[in-house]
Amino acid sequence: MLFKDTLVQAFGAISAQRLRAALIILAMSIGIASVIVLTALGESARSYIVNEFESLGTHLMIVLPGRNETTGGHPPLFSETPRDLTLDDAEALFRSYHIAAVAPLTIGSAPVSTQGLERETNIFGSTYALRRVRHLTMAQGSFLPKMDANKALSVCVIGQTIREQLFSDQKALGQWLRINDRRFLVIGVLASEGQSIGVDFDEMVIIPVASAQALFNTHSLFRILIEAKSKQSMYQAVDEITGIIKARHEGEDDITIITQDSVVNTFDKILTALTLTVVSIAGISLVVAGVLVMNVMLVSVTQRTAEVGLLKALGATQRQLQWLFLTEATMLSLAGALLGMALGLAGITVLTTLYPDFPIQLPGWALLAALAVSLFTGLLFGVLPARKAAKLNPVVALGKR
């Protein structure tokens, strides 16, 4: 029996039982489509979150008051340290050769108003270095001026949403904005930044850190954002930051340093594991489809006993009969895989249309993996029916004709 004869024979057997073949293909396609869609969602979520953290800055480190974890983990919500971080602590970090920029940060919420319009918003107190560390872009005017961090100045930079809501019909630059009971001159408007890890710079008002501390009557810092000179410098800078703050805090190691790389790697590992877990659960449907293929093929062998007996009587070997049934299982699996891939890609297109802000991308390896798993499943569960058909006694099989 030639290879072409095997294909024709297998195709003929499938065509003879179209409803049964359609059910097998449908079961296989559902499994493949599930694997493709869930893989795309998992990979897209991983890429989205990793990109969000990478967009925070370059070689970024975050120093938090309170001892928790040195790499990753949740930052302490409440201060557990006997000492707060101060502006002097931030300035002391410039002793490290490996640090390129330091942006002390004080955050609070306050009402902002101008010309009868008022709303509550978040106030960022920082220095000119914040623009470099967070890669902020100006739409109009200038950012905070370069000056002594301990000096208060009544200037502010506003986000796009603040500009649209409070200065919708007039130019924002040069206008006075009241924050609590103090007035600040608008010197710049940020370009639309959108949300990044829960921080929406479009709704932010940025003022000098000393002004923010006076506004909120505090001397402590919420965070210190630091940019290292290079990726290699970042790890050396961590040790030096720890040493500098420890020396200033009378030997107490009471800060937490989160590096951008550790956060990205942690989320990357977690989301990759989550993606593989979800895809594995979806893969169970492929196993179920494979069992269905095996059961249907076993029924087919039983129904085609006489046909098998005739083929053996005409000289077909056990190996040729095994290949005949395995080819039939492979053709069913291949058809199910192709239909499943089409359904999966259609599902991704629908999700992309419904959620345009969430980029859904299917990695190329997912299609190849789905096709390979489908064929493997079909062949694996086709072995038993094929071996059963090959071992039939031709005399007994023909006796049932």
Side-chain angles (χ1 to χ4, degrees), residues 294-371:
M294 183 176 65
N295 289 335
V296 172
M297 293 299 294
L298 284 172
V299 173
S300 176
V301 170
T302 303
Q303 292 177 340
R304 295 160 60 189
T305 301
E307 177 189 338
V308 173
L310 181 59
L311 289 172
K312 296 194 78 172
L314 292 174
T317 63
Q318 289 191 0
R319 185 182 182 86
Q320 288 174 328
L321 288 173
Q322 284 185 7
W323 275 115
L324 176 63
F325 281 88
L326 285 176
T327 301
E328 190 174 331
T330 302
M331 293 175 73
L332 289 171
S333 301
L334 184 60
L338 294 177
L339 179 60
M341 290 164 67
L343 291 175
L345 293 176
I348 291 173
T349 303
V350 172
L351 289 173
T352 303
T353 305
L354 293 176
Y355 305 100
D357 294 333
F358 181 68
I360 301 178
Q361 296 179 343
L362 178 66
W365 60 262
L367 285 175
L368 296 177
L371 182 62

Side-chain angles (χ1 to χ4, degrees), residues 9-21 304 307 328:
Q9 189 77 17
F11 184 76
I14 294 173
S15 301
Q17 299 290 338
R18 293 183 180 179
L19 178 59
R20 185 177 64 194
R304 295 160 60 189
E307 177 189 338
E328 190 174 331

Side-chain angles (χ1 to χ4, degrees), residues 107-179:
I107 296 179
S109 180
V112 295
S113 61
T114 182
Q115 300 180 359
L117 299 175
E118 179 177 317
R119 59 158 295 177
E120 187 88 7
T121 193
N122 292 323
I123 310 296
F124 259 40
S126 190
T127 64
Y128 68 96
L130 180 65
R131 182 182 179 186
R132 169 176 177 170
V133 173
R134 288 301 309 269
H135 296 175
L136 300 177
T137 305
M138 299 302 299
Q140 301 173 23
S142 59
F143 198 68
L144 298 178
K146 187 175 182 178
M147 62 182 190
D148 185 356
N150 289 291
K151 182 180 178 182
L153 192 64
S154 297
V155 295
C156 68
V157 176
I158 62 176
Q160 281 293 334
T161 303
I162 299 297
R163 183 194 65 79
E164 293 169 1
Q165 293 183 353
L166 299 183
F167 302 99
S168 58
D169 56 351
Q170 59 181 319
K171 189 175 180 181
L173 294 182
Q175 300 293 327
W176 288 95
L177 183 68
R178 181 173 291 278
I179 306 176

Side-chain angles (χ1 to χ4, degrees), residues 57-90:
T58 305
H59 318 312
L60 180 66
M61 295 173 287
I62 305 173
V63 181
L64 302 86
R67 182 67 183 164
N68 192 358
E69 298 289 340
T70 53
T71 55
H74 296 293
L77 296 178
F78 302 100
S79 177
E80 300 171 356
T81 175
R83 293 177 182 272
D84 295 324
L85 287 174
T86 64
L87 281 176
D88 291 337
D89 291 330

